């Protein structure tokens, strides 16, 4: 085939369409050439999604064997964790928008129920076991059923939540935690809806 000029190409295409579709008028052929667009469909190859492999964490047994949650005796000192308590107080102030005097107590209580308590200073005020009453210290670890608290005497106490009432104070606001209603992990509390009214017992 010899290369053709644009004018010759138009004449050729017009003649080709006239022979292929003799029933069409010249106006219709010209309209097809000027107004109709030919869309060439293109289907790109589908990309196969690679499944991400989920990284398996340690089991509870492996964590116990590795002693991941144990605090070494030389680290069991109250003074070490005072900066953590200061950070916790600032965290609660930010969470409650400054703990202003005119803030409704139930609003602060609702936020504290879902807040992270690591670093809070708590006191056991009531207990079915008298030996727990009066224990005061900084919460180092919170599990579903227990608090691990470091006291001013540098003693690490494991205090069960069940059958105990805890109090915490910040900027003059005192809140009480009924451990029997608090049997949750810290990560679960943030999504739980607490009822502020109900039966209260140890």
């Amino acid at each position: 085939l010899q290369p053709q000029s644009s004018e010759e190409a138009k004449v050729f295409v017009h003649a080709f369409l006239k022979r292929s579709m003799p029933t069409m008028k010249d106006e219709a052929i010209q309209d097809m050439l000027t107004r109709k667009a030919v869309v060439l469909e293109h289907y790109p190859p589908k990309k196969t999604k690679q499944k991400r492999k989920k990284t398996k964490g340690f089991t509870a047994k492996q964590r116990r064997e590795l002693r991941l949650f144990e605090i070494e005796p030389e680290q069991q000192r109250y003074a070490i964790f005072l900066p953590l308590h200061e950070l916790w107080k600032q965290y609660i102030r930010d969470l409650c928008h400054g703990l202003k005097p005119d803030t409704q107590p139930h609003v602060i209580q609702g936020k504290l129920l879902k807040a992270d308590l690591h670093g809070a200073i708590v006191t056991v005020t009531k207990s079915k076991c008298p030996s727990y009453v009066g224990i005061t210290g900084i919460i180092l670890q919170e599990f579903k059923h227990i608090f691990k608290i470091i006291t001013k005497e540098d003693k690490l106490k494991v205090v069960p939540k069940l059958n105990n009432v805890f109090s915490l104070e910040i900027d003059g606001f005192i809140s009480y935690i009924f451990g029997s209603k608090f049997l949750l992990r810290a990560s679960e509390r943030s999504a739980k809806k607490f009822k502020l009214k109900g039966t209260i017992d140890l």
Side-chain angles (χ1 to χ4, degrees):
L1 294 175
Q2 298 294 327
Q4 297 178 331
S5 64
S6 60
E7 195 61 37
E8 290 173 341
K10 286 181 182 178
V11 173
F12 170 77
V13 172
H14 190 277
F16 174 77
L17 291 175
K18 187 68 177 175
R19 288 195 304 271
S20 301
M21 294 175 288
T23 57
M24 291 187 69
K25 295 181 179 179
D26 289 346
E27 293 82 1
I29 293 174
Q30 190 63 32
D31 182 67
M32 179 180 290
L33 292 174
T34 56
R35 298 181 181 274
K36 300 294 181 181
V38 179
V39 179
L40 300 178
E41 295 182 349
H42 173 65
Y43 298 97
K46 292 183 178 180
K47 295 181 179 180
T48 56
K49 292 184 178 179
Q50 295 181 349
K51 292 183 178 179
R52 293 182 179 179
K53 293 183 179 179
K54 293 183 178 179
T55 55
K56 292 183 178 179
F58 293 116
T59 62
K61 183 180 179 181
Q62 289 173 329
R63 288 196 292 267
R64 285 194 299 269
E65 290 174 350
L66 293 171
R67 303 173 67 185
L68 293 179
F69 296 120
E70 290 191 19
I71 301 172
E72 298 297 331
E74 61 271 14
Q75 300 296 323
Q76 296 177 14
R77 303 212 316 271
Y78 184 84
I80 292 178
F81 298 99
L82 281 175
L84 175 64
H85 175 60
E86 293 300 320
L87 288 173
W88 180 82
K89 287 198 296 185
Q90 189 58 49
Y91 154 67
I92 294 298
R93 291 183 187 117
D94 294 341
L95 185 67
C96 300
H97 306 293
L99 288 173
K100 299 176 182 177
D102 58 345
T103 306
Q104 295 295 324
H106 70 272
V107 174
I108 300 175
Q109 182 73 25
K111 290 183 180 296
L112 286 175
L113 285 172
K114 296 187 177 187
D116 191 330
L117 297 179
H118 293 90
I121 292 180
V122 295
T123 301
V124 181
T125 55
K126 292 183 181 179
S127 177
K128 285 189 175 181
C129 180
S131 62
Y132 288 127
V133 177
I135 293 177
T136 302
I138 300 173
I139 295 178
L140 300 188
Q141 292 174 318
E142 179 189 356
F143 298 95
K144 184 174 182 178
H145 297 285
I146 64 168
F147 286 123
K148 283 190 177 181
I149 299 172
I150 186 74
T151 67
K152 291 182 179 180
E153 293 78 24
D154 296 337
K155 291 182 180 180
L156 186 65
K157 300 285 187 179
V158 178
V159 182
K161 295 179 180 179
L162 189 65
N163 300 327
N164 286 321
V165 178
F166 305 85
S167 68
L168 59 87
E169 186 271 337
I170 177 171
D171 293 348
F173 180 83
I174 300 175
S175 177
Y176 292 93
I177 298 170
F178 288 80
S180 300
K181 308 292 184 181
F182 220 64
L183 299 178
L184 296 164
R185 295 179 179 89
S187 57
E188 296 172 346
R189 281 207 326 273
S190 60
K192 181 177 173 61
K193 292 184 178 179
F194 288 93
K195 293 181 180 179
L196 294 180
K197 294 182 180 180
T199 57
I200 297 175
D201 54 10
L202 288 178

